[in-house]
């Protein structure tokens, strides 16, 4: 038995590879973090090494104090995770104030992704607004989502409506809609703040000219959300390249879906 034999590590590794197979992780693009449950920590603890030095997050996240996260490494390629998990992913512990992190397993000589502050701020918000059920934050360079940020107005409403109308399952999967973050320099605290603000309302946030951030209680749900959003964006891009929309799902149709599937659509999007 080793760290890589634990179910949560195996599922994490599988998701990295699934994203790679989708074409969302060129070079070192994209990153994935998972907040361990108490049971996960118990199962993993005997494999932890000597903890390494502390690093500042840049913000205080007290509701994540003493939590543990799996994270992809800075500059690491998601393509390589399945071949050598220990070299490409690590487990970090947060301090007793939720202000610093340190690596306790994996990533020898390295550190977590440059987007770790964004991931942690999103975890903090999603943990709070979901009553602790959210555990996964995933960033991918979903091609068609990115393409649409060059042609659609960069508003939550424009993106939500385009996605809801381009695949019938969308209003059921994300009835609250999606958030859109304007173009910003990645890797810093400003884009992290802007993204986590969107995560107060939405399970997903689009980064203009860059990619997609999604959240979820588990790997299947988070990956499924990214996949659903990207599929719908793909359909919309094809519609545009076929000459544009001639008919679509109307607002009354959207209301009918919501009624039959028992979801409440964000009224600001209708
Ligand atoms: O980790 O995707 O946004 C590489 C990136 C930065
Ligand atoms: Zn990115």
């Amino acid at each position: 038995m080793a760290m890589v034999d634990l179910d949560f590590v195996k599922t994490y590794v599988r998701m990295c590879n699934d994203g790679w197979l989708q074409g969302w992780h060129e070079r070192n693009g994209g990153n994935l973090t998972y907040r361990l449950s108490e049971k996960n920590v118990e199962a993993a603890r005997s494999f932890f090494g000597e903890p390494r030095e502390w690093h500042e997050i840049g913000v205080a996240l007290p509701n994540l104090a003493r939590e543990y996260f799996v994270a992809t490494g800075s500059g690491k390629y998601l393509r390589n995770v399945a071949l050598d998990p220990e070299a490409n992913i690590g487990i970090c512990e947060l301090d007793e104030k939720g202000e610093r992190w340190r690596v306790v397993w994996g990533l020898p000589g390295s550190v977590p992704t440059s987007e770790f502050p964004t991931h942690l701020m999103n975890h903090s918000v999603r943990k709070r607004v979901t009553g602790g059920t959210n555990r996964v934050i995933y960033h991918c360079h979903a091609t068609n989502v990115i393409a649409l940020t060059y042609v659609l107005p960069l508003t939550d409403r424009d993106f939500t409506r385009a996605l809801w109308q381009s695949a019938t399952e969308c209003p059921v999967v994300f009835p609250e809609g999606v958030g859109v973050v304007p173009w910003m320099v990645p890797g810093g605290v400003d884009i992290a703040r802007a993204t986590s603000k969107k995560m107060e309302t939405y399970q997903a946030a689009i980064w203009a000219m860059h990619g997609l951030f999604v959240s979820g209680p588990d790997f299947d749900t988070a990956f499924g959300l990214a996949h659903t959003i990207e599929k719908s964006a793909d359909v919309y891009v094809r519609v545009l390249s076929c000459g544009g929309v001639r008919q679509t799902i109307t607002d009354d149709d959207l209301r009918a879906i919501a009624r039959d599937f028992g979801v409440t659509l964000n009224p600001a999007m209708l």
Side-chain angles (χ1 to χ4, degrees):
M1 195 74 180
M3 188 69 94
V4 294
D5 299 319
L6 299 178
D7 276 343
F8 77 91
V9 180
K10 284 199 279 193
T11 318
Y12 179 103
V13 168
R14 177 184 170 215
M15 180 156 157
C16 291
N17 202 56
D18 285 345
W20 157 248
L21 293 175
Q22 289 297 323
W24 300 340
H25 299 293
E26 73 290 343
R27 203 172 180 275
N28 64 322
N31 24 76
L32 172 65
T33 56
Y34 168 75
R35 182 168 60 85
L36 276 66
S37 68
E38 274 174 35
K39 273 203 166 129
N40 296 152
V41 177
E42 230 171 83
R45 195 179 291 282
S46 65
F47 305 115
F48 291 166
E50 200 51 48
R52 312 222 293 261
E53 70 279 18
W54 289 107
H55 298 258
E56 300 286 334
I57 300 170
V59 288
L61 305 169
N63 74 330
L64 300 183
R66 295 184 205 279
E67 295 263 16
Y68 289 81
F69 295 86
V70 194
T72 39
S74 178
K76 304 297 185 189
Y77 293 22
L78 265 71
R79 176 174 167 247
N80 292 335
V81 168
L83 297 177
D84 189 354
E86 190 158 357
N88 293 287
I89 67 175
I91 297 182
C92 294
E93 164 190 25
L94 264 55
D95 71 6
E96 69 291 345
K97 290 183 176 163
E99 293 178 356
R100 298 177 304 164
W101 54 265
R102 63 181 179 182
V103 177
V104 298
W105 178 85
L107 291 178
S110 190
V111 288
T113 165
S114 57
E115 305 296 359
F116 203 39
T118 300
H119 278 254
L120 291 175
M121 285 172 76
N122 287 338
H123 274 291
S124 173
V125 169
R126 296 308 296 174
K127 184 184 176 190
R128 171 165 50 76
V129 301
T130 65
T133 57
N134 190 96
R135 295 196 173 273
V136 178
I137 300 287
Y138 176 49
H139 168 55
C140 63
H141 294 176
T143 314
N144 293 282
V145 170
I146 299 169
L148 286 180
T149 66
Y150 290 83
V151 293
L152 283 180
L154 295 173
T155 72
D156 301 356
R157 189 167 188 278
D158 282 285
F159 271 81
T160 297
R161 291 183 62 78
L163 294 168
W164 279 359
Q165 291 181 320
S166 300
T168 295
E169 70 193 301
C170 284
V172 180
V173 176
F174 49 98
E176 72 289 348
V178 295
V180 179
V181 177
W183 185 88
M184 295 173 79
V185 177
V189 170
D190 289 344
I191 196 167
R193 274 190 220 286
T195 311
S196 60
K197 208 167 153 217
K198 295 293 181 187
M199 288 286 183
E200 297 272 349
T201 312
Y202 307 111
Q203 307 170 69
I206 290 167
W207 276 8
M209 294 92 200
H210 185 142
L212 178 62
F213 260 91
V214 296
S215 61
D218 53 53
F219 296 106
D220 275 353
T221 311
F223 189 80
L225 177 59
H227 207 185
T228 302
I229 290 172
E230 169 61 8
K231 177 68 182 280
S232 187
D234 188 356
V235 171
Y236 195 60
V237 166
R238 290 175 200 227
V239 169
L240 294 176
S241 55
C242 291
V245 174
R246 298 212 183 170
Q247 57 268 328
T248 190
I249 302 170
T250 66
D251 281 23
D252 278 345
D253 296 336
L254 291 170
R255 289 188 189 97
I257 295 169
R259 185 192 58 227
D260 282 14
F261 283 84
V263 297
T264 305
L265 296 181
N266 184 341
M269 307 302 180
L270 292 168

